[in-house]
């Protein structure tokens, strides 16, 4: 009985060591940065696609602009002597319409150029942030791995102590301990504390207390831990 309690004590220590490493600040920061890098990467891809479609829009507007510009040039270069008087009004109004279209196209082209510039700037910022985040991630990773190296010998020592102790524990007791622990009930052994299970604080009825006194241990009906008398 005292050996299995000693065994559990080592087991708790082992758990703490493993947990401390898993929950370390480095590990948390690594996960956060990983999330950030994935998000930033997606953002970069979106910006790249955005820039591509803006460039397409730009090309289309530019083509339209050139077509209209040529039309205006042709109209202006017409020999006025060849034009009948009643056609002049129509010609002028066509030139006017095309000119104002050109003006609008030019304005839209400028808007798109500004958008492309902003998109490229955003892309550059995102790229730099990813590089910075990667560097930080590697710093945390190195520090995490160093921490792991520090606790590894401690974990090995406890594990070998537990292996030694296992030889002195009754096999039935040990397998029961392991199966309860496998059900995520840990610690497996808890003390009887002033009429209560010290694992879940439930009050133990008198008949069960008597059984505990006779047999040395009982299983808590609420939390399924093994209660022992101190
Ligand atoms: Zn309990």
């Amino acid at each position: 009985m005292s050996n299995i309690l000693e065994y559990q004590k080592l087991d708790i220590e082992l758990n703490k060591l493993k947990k401390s490493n898993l929950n370390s600040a480095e590990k948390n920061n690594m996960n956060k940065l990983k999330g950030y890098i994935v998000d930033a990467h997606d953002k970069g891809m979106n910006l790249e696609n955005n820039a591509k479609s803006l460039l397409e829009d730009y090309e289309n507007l530019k083509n339209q602009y050139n077509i209209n510009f040529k039309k205006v040039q042709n109209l202006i270069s017409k020999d006025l002597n060849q034009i009948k008087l009643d056609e002049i009004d129509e010609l002028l109004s066509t030139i006017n319409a095309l000119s104002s279209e050109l003006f609008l196209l030019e304005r839209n082209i400028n808007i798109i150029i500004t958008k492309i510039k902003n998109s490229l700037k955003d892309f550059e910022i995102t790229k730099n942030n990813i590089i910075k985040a990667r560097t930080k991630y590697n710093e945390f990773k190195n520090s995490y791995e160093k921490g792991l190296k520090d606790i590894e010998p401690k974990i090995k020592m406890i594990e070998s102590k537990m292996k030694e102790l296992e030889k002195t524990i009754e096999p039935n007791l040990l397998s029961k301990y392991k199966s309860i622990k496998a059900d995520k009930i840990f610690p497996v052994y808890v003390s009887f504390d002033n009429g209560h299970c010290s694992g879940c604080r439930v009050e133990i009825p008198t008949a069960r207390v008597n059984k505990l006194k006779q047999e040395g241990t009982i299983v808590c009906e609420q939390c399924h831990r093994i209660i022992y008398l101190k």
Side-chain angles (χ1 to χ4, degrees):
M1 179 72 199
S2 65
N3 284 356
I4 190 110
L5 290 181
E6 179 61 26
Y7 183 79
Q8 176 171 271
K9 221 166 118 188
L10 290 169
D11 211 358
I12 290 171
E13 230 177 285
L14 187 67
N15 244 18
K16 258 190 210 155
L17 272 176
K18 285 181 177 171
K19 233 186 204 163
S20 75
N21 199 54
L22 276 180
N23 296 336
S24 66
E26 282 86 2
K27 191 86 185 169
N28 276 338
N29 287 331
M30 277 163 73
N31 286 336
K32 270 187 215 152
L33 283 171
K34 214 179 202 171
Y36 175 81
I37 289 169
V38 170
D39 287 349
H41 186 76
D42 286 349
K43 195 184 168 198
M45 297 278 269
N46 284 339
L47 284 169
E48 209 180 347
N49 289 334
N50 195 25
K52 266 185 205 152
S53 82
L54 283 173
L55 273 175
E56 267 169 34
D57 290 349
Y58 172 81
E59 290 297 333
N60 288 337
L61 285 174
K62 196 82 189 161
N63 282 339
Q64 248 173 286
Y65 182 90
N66 288 338
I67 290 166
N68 278 12
F69 187 75
K70 256 181 210 150
K71 276 186 195 165
V72 173
Q73 290 290 43
N74 284 338
L75 289 172
I76 290 174
S77 63
K78 266 193 179 171
D79 188 356
L80 283 175
N81 293 325
Q82 309 258 325
I83 302 166
K84 293 169 198 154
L85 264 178
D86 56 343
E87 282 176 356
I88 286 187
D89 271 353
E90 203 191 317
L91 181 66
L92 279 177
S93 85
T94 310
I95 291 176
N96 270 341
L98 283 170
S99 292
S100 60
E101 236 179 89
L102 275 179
F103 175 77
L104 278 179
L105 281 169
E106 202 175 345
R107 208 184 61 176
N108 287 339
I109 286 172
N110 283 333
I111 290 172
I112 283 197
I113 288 175
T114 309
K115 278 187 185 168
I116 290 175
K117 275 185 188 158
N118 286 339
S119 195
L120 286 176
K121 209 163 76 188
D122 265 2
F123 184 74
E124 201 56 29
I125 290 170
T126 308
K127 203 178 80 187
N128 285 335
N129 283 344
I130 290 177
I131 292 170
K132 275 185 212 157
R134 285 224 175 101
T135 311
K136 271 267 159 241
Y137 179 86
N138 285 334
E139 277 171 27
F140 285 126
K141 194 175 166 222
N142 287 341
S143 155
Y144 169 76
E145 277 165 1
K146 194 185 163 293
L148 198 66
K149 265 196 190 124
D150 286 345
I151 64 164
E152 241 164 34
K154 285 180 200 163
I155 288 177
K156 285 229 162 74
M157 199 184 73
I158 294 174
E159 278 172 345
S160 78
K161 269 189 197 170
M162 286 171 76
K163 271 243 144 59
E164 276 306 302
L165 212 52
E166 275 186 8
K167 294 174 192 161
T168 70
I169 298 167
E170 202 190 308
N172 273 344
L173 213 60
L174 190 64
S175 71
K176 201 171 176 191
Y177 175 92
K178 285 185 175 172
S179 88
I180 293 176
K181 196 189 154 192
D183 287 338
K184 306 247 183 283
I185 297 169
F186 193 74
V188 174
Y189 278 87
V190 291
S191 61
F192 180 67
D193 181 25
N194 203 19
H196 296 84
C197 163
S198 68
C200 67
R201 302 310 306 166
V202 76
E203 194 174 351
I204 312 290
T206 318
R208 305 262 305 145
V209 175
N210 290 336
K211 189 173 184 256
L212 173 63
K213 281 176 182 162
Q214 273 169 22
E215 295 175 11
T217 59
I218 52 167
V219 174
C220 174
E221 284 171 335
Q222 178 155 293
C223 70
H224 308 292
R225 291 180 164 86
I226 301 174
I227 304 173
Y228 65 91
L229 269 181
K230 265 197 266 192

